[in-house]
Amino acid sequence: MTALPVDRQGIVDPDDVRGALRADTVLVSVMAANNEIGTLQPIAEIGKLTRARKIPFHTDATQLVGAAPVNVDELNVDLLSMSAHKRYGPKGVGALYVRAGTPLAPVQHGGSHERGRRGGTENVPGIVGFAAALRIAAQEMDAERARLTAMRARLMREALTLPGAHLNGDPVRRLPNNVNLSFDGTDSQSLVMGLDLHGVAASSGSACTSGSIEPSHVIVALGLPARLAAAAVRLTLGRWTTDTDVAYALDALRDVVIRLQQAA
Ligand SMILES: *Cc1c(COP(=O)(O)O)cnc(C)c1O
């Protein structure tokens, strides 16, 4: 397996993908939107390269589906995965789009379910719930995108006026609901705990690595100085977040950051 680097904003350069393709490359996988820093990848451009070479191209679009329009033909992808609970659907169900003709080995043998790809009875309530969640997300997408983007702009703008603030990820090519910042003179764990005492839920990495005190591998891949990589915090906005919540979170953030910097 070849792992490609990202730039300072967390973006994969399609030229790096081009350079890494080999005669025996069987799969390219690039996530559509990062779950920690919200960075959007140039999927359509990368897909052009893989298509020209007839190499299957997978994208993890878990963060993108329901947040922005997703069209597998425009993105030039052959495989696209997504998860229901990130779109307010039930936990324990996801979906994989497979373009006709894409070679795919079974992940689980036994029954002939899902065209022989995954034996076992389907989680019908989960699947129905996922479809309902996606229907709601599609209906609300345009209004919700505008609402979240405006709140995120305020959160980002005002948080960046705090001392020692640094934005992680790209300022523009970014999910509408994601803000990830580092604050000089603080550390991630103290930021998360300090915010929690104010009732603000923040994160230092992904839920999959919670409990770890190491800097997030995503933040480390950006090539930040160690002191900033260890002082990152993520705030995400959701369907029930209001302007009042954003104002409250900003006050809490100011209080926590300044207190930690004074104690440092
Ligand atoms: C949450 C998430 C996953 C994992 O999905 P689960 O259904 O929680 O296992 C994978 N990729 C991305 C980008 C995610 O945000």
Side-chain angles (χ1 to χ4, degrees), residues 31 33 35 60 62-63 83 85-86:
M31 72 196 312
N35 44 314
D60 174 353
T62 302
Q63 292 284 334
S83 173
H85 74 102
K86 297 293 172 63

Side-chain angles (χ1 to χ4, degrees), residues 159-167 182-186 227-228 231 257 261:
L160 283 171
T161 65
L162 296 177
H166 168 92
L167 179 71
S182 287
F183 294 95
D184 236 333
T186 74
R227 58 168 219 288
L228 285 177
V257 166
Q261 287 171 339

Side-chain angles (χ1 to χ4, degrees), residues 28-181:
V28 173
S29 181
V30 179
M31 72 196 312
N34 185 268
N35 44 314
E36 292 185 46
I37 54 172
T39 298
L40 305 174
Q41 300 294 346
I43 297 300
E45 230 179 307
I46 295 169
K48 254 189 225 158
L49 301 172
T50 54
R51 177 143 302 168
R53 298 273 297 260
K54 298 192 167 52
I55 298 167
F57 181 33
H58 166 260
T59 190
D60 174 353
T62 302
Q63 292 284 334
L64 194 64
V65 167
V70 169
N71 180 318
V72 292
D73 292 326
E74 285 169 14
L75 290 177
N76 300 316
V77 295
D78 304 300
L79 301 153
L80 180 146
S81 49
M82 49 191 144
S83 173
H85 74 102
K86 297 293 172 63
R87 232 17 89 188
Y88 307 97
K91 290 184 173 70
V93 62
L96 176 67
Y97 161 78
V98 183
R99 184 177 297 281
T102 308
L104 201 60
V107 287
Q108 207 166 292
H109 297 271
S112 59
H113 311 79
E114 306 193 38
R115 301 187 201 170
R117 286 166 182 151
R118 185 186 187 278
T121 304
E122 289 90 347
N123 170 10
V124 175
I127 295 166
V128 172
F130 190 7
L134 287 178
R135 192 174 308 118
I136 296 167
Q139 280 161 1
E140 299 188 351
M141 185 184 299
D142 291 344
E144 189 62 358
R145 230 152 81 100
R147 195 182 75 87
L148 291 172
T149 303
M151 283 197 298
R152 183 202 62 189
R154 176 182 177 198
L155 187 54
M156 223 155 77
R157 187 180 62 242
E158 295 189 26
L160 283 171
T161 65
L162 296 177
H166 168 92
L167 179 71
N168 296 318
D170 194 277
V172 181
R173 288 166 65 173
R174 182 175 203 105
L175 285 171
N177 72 323
N178 174 292
V179 178
N180 192 312
L181 303 147

